[in-house]
């Protein structure tokens, strides 16, 4: 048995936007990871385009730093509940967690979710109260909230006595008291060395290496990321790869890479506690164990929570299909979705009766929308259906996922928010003061009740409402929830939209397109002010005559149209509609494009 006093493995977990990635920036800079004259972006760990644009962490990332001759392996994790699968699997690699909580907002839904997972794995927490320099910060009250959360989650006495550090990631200082407003991260580094246990294990026994993630390098191919739990890993070593179904196969270790700052360095061996990337294993899956050929003992993998929402991804069959995308066939779509499932452990992909359609299940709207956005940027072209909540049967009763919803709204909008959420089968659990002029409302609500609600909340609160939610278990089916209260404006014919046709159409409701846009019959071009769908001819041109009348030929003024984001489109889709996704366009459309056939189908119902 050896104890690695020269190593600490730790993950940073928190609710979205509580400052994890900014804190990692400060830790890396002060540990000397970057040269003095090196230009470094903000949130350096958020290195993919979608993460930078949205300002959120989507994928777990590994990095390392040196402090007092001790190597600290850091894992930056997502803070949004939809990406909880990224957090669950990386917790198997670490011995401790920094539980980051905003000094003003306090404990939020994802704080509870990730802390529950960490405590369940018996990890050592360090409570970090971040943003203590924020106006109206209440650090000591937030510490009490965190300790109450520890009690709710049945933490052990040792976990309950977790140390507390007060910090400002943006200003780059940390302290054991909340009144400090300058300094550096020394207190946080020291606390990590004191509170997080050094990895230990049997180095003379057979190898055990648990695969927690899959990486890819254009030179060495697919690589497995994980931690050496037992034994020693060597380049060229013959190993057995144990699958989750119980089967094993032989492989040979190609290259071994350790994390060195933001990069990787090649090494010949890895010992107990090391987090490394290895190549040479061929086709691998997250959760598999790499063992010594003479001692095959697979490790248990953390249980990943089930998906709650599904959408149908299908081949694009609109009149404009194939104009934008590089990958448009069912084979392309199938290969890409099943490849995603290898690394996205909380995603599930199933074949359907149709060879052109696949059922994709994920943790929530954001989880699926990020996949859709990633695929369209890669050149894929496809269609998606309205999201549907996944129900299951327990003890002869249909149960559905229920979420804990926290809404912060200006006090004058409390009534309308409570009214709209009650229509969606929400049940209020708590109501109390939030920040100045705001009220914090807590509800339990069926997951399907949240589909399309974010835009409704922004409308009802004039853009001032803030909502956060997370899965809170399963409850008996709550009954029907009324869907969208407004219909669609549907293009009557194929052509190019013109100002004259749009001017007449805008009297019916809100438009999604402007002039000069190519449209096809059955495409949704706006939202009707009433509940029914209405066909509009946005391609209609004014007849040219020799007659002129004073005033009638003035320039037509169009109301600015609504630019729909991907999330807004997904929320807007009705049961009989699809969203056409291409690299350059998002088009809402009816499943049945032909006006006559659509009318016949409606009459049959």
């Amino acid at each position: 048995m050896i104890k690695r006093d020269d190593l600490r493995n730790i993950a940073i977990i928190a609710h979205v936007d509580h400052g994890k990635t900014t804190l990692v920036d400060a830790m890396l800079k002060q540990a000397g990871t970057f040269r003095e004259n090196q230009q470094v972006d903000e949130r350096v760990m958020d290195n993919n385009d979608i993460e930078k644009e949205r300002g959120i962490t989507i994928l777990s990332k590994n990095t390392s730093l040196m402090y007092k001759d001790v190597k600290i392996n850091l894992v930056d994790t997502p803070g949004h509940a939809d990406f909880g699968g990224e957090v669950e699997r990386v917790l198997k690699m670490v011995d401790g967690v920094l539980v980051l909580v905003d000094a003003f907002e306090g404990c939020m839904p994802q704080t509870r979710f990730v802390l529950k997972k960490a405590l369940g794995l018996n990890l050592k927490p360090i409570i970090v109260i971040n943003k203590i320099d924020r106006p109206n910060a209440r650090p000591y009250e937030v510490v009490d909230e965190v300790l109450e959360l520890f009690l709710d989650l049945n933490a052990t006495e040792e976990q309950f006595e977790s140390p507390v550090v007060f910090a400002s990631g943006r200003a780059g200082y940390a302290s054991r008291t909340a009144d400090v407003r300058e300094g550096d991260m020394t207190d946080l580094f020291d606390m990590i060395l004191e509170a997080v246990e050094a990895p230990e294990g049997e180095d003379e026994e057979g190898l055990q290496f648990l695969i927690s993630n899959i990486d890819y390098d254009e030179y060495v191919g697919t690589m497995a990321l994980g931690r050496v739990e037992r034994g020693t890993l060597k380049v060229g070593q013959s190993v057995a790869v144990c699958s989750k179904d119980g089967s094993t196969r032989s492989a040979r270790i190609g290259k071994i890479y350790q994390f060195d700052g933001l990069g990787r360095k090649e090494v010949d061996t890895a010992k107990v506690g090391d987090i490394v990337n290895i190549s040479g294993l061929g086709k691998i899956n997250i959760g598999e164990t790499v063992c010594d050929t003479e001692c095959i003992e697979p490790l248990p993998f953390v249980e990943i929570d089930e998906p709650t929402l599904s959408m149908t991804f299908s081949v694009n069959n609109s009149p404009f299909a194939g104009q934008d995308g590089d990958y448009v066939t069912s084979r392309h779509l199938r290969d890409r979705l099943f490849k995603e499932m290898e690394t996205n452990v909380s995603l599930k992909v199933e074949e359907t009766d149709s060879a052109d359609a696949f059922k994709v299940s994920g943790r929530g709207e954001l989880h699926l929308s990020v996949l859709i956005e990633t695929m369209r940027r890669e050149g894929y072209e496809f269609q998606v259906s309205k999201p549907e909540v996944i129900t299951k049967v327990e003890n002869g009763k249909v149960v559905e996922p229920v979420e804990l919803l926290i809404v912060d709204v200006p006090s004058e909008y409390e009534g309308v928010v409570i009214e709209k959420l009650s229509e969606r089968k929400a049940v209020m659990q708590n109501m109390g003061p939030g920040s100045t002029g705001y009220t914090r409302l807590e509800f339990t609500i069926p997951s399907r009740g949240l589909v399309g609600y974010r835009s409704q909340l922004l409308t009802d609160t004039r853009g001032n409402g803030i909502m956060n939610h997370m899965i809170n278990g399963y409850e008996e089916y709550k009954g029907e929830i009324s869907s969208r209260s407004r219909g669609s404006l549907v293009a009557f014919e194929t052509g190019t939209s013109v100002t004259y046709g749009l001017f007449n159409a805008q009297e019916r409701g809100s438009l999604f397109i402007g002039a000069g846009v190519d449209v096809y019959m059955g495409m949704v071009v706006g939202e009707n002010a009433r509940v029914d769908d209405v066909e509009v001819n946005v391609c209609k041109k004014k007849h040219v005559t020799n007659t002129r009348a004073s005033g009638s030929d003035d320039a037509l003024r169009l109301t600015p149209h609504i630019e729909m984001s991907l999330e807004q489109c997904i929320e807007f889709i009705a049961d009989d509609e699809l969203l056409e996704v291409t690299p350059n366009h998002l088009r809402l459309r009816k499943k049945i494009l032909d006006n006559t056939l659509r009318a016949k189908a409606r009459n049959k119902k």
Side-chain angles (χ1 to χ4, degrees), residues 178-350:
D179 54 357
V180 176
R181 291 295 180 271
E182 59 183 11
D184 56 25
M185 289 284 173
T186 300
D187 281 353
L188 179 58
F189 289 138
D190 287 338
M191 187 67 77
I192 291 173
L193 299 193
E194 293 169 21
V196 179
E197 294 181 1
E200 56 181 37
E202 296 288 349
D203 61 329
E204 299 296 332
E205 295 192 13
L207 172 70
Q208 280 185 324
F209 175 88
L210 181 65
I211 299 174
S212 297
N213 202 359
I214 295 174
D215 205 349
Y216 183 80
D217 185 279
E218 59 184 16
Y219 296 108
V220 299
T222 303
M223 295 190 295
L225 168 67
R227 168 174 162 156
V228 181
E229 300 288 348
R230 193 178 71 187
T232 303
L233 194 64
K234 299 176 183 177
V235 171
Q237 180 179 355
S238 295
V239 294
V241 181
C242 307
S243 300
K244 288 184 282 188
D245 61 5
S247 61
T248 60
R249 60 182 178 82
S250 298
R252 186 180 296 274
I253 304 298
K255 293 181 182 294
I256 303 174
Y257 296 94
Q258 281 189 351
F259 289 95
D260 183 21
L262 295 178
R264 294 190 294 242
K265 67 176 181 181
E266 192 174 339
V267 295
D268 294 327
T269 61
K271 297 184 289 186
V272 169
D274 280 333
I275 296 175
V276 293
N277 268 321
I278 58 176
S279 68
L281 301 182
K283 184 174 174 58
I284 50 177
N285 294 299
I286 292 171
E288 293 181 337
T289 306
V290 179
C291 298
D292 192 293
T293 53
E294 303 298 321
C295 182
I296 300 176
E297 296 178 4
L299 291 162
F301 190 62
V302 65
E303 197 65 36
I304 303 295
D305 288 345
E306 298 176 0
T308 59
L309 209 63
S310 69
M311 300 174 76
T312 301
F313 284 51
S314 55
V315 173
N316 186 13
N317 60 6
S318 84
F320 295 165
Q323 293 184 1
D324 289 349
D326 298 320
Y327 309 105
V328 298
T329 66
S330 59
R331 181 178 60 82
H332 287 138
L333 184 62
R334 183 186 187 282
D335 290 348
R336 178 63 181 82
L337 289 174
F338 278 94
K339 182 183 177 184
E340 180 70 21
M341 199 165 55
E342 293 175 5
T343 55
N344 198 335
V345 290
S346 49
L347 192 78
K348 187 178 179 182
V349 181
E350 301 169 84

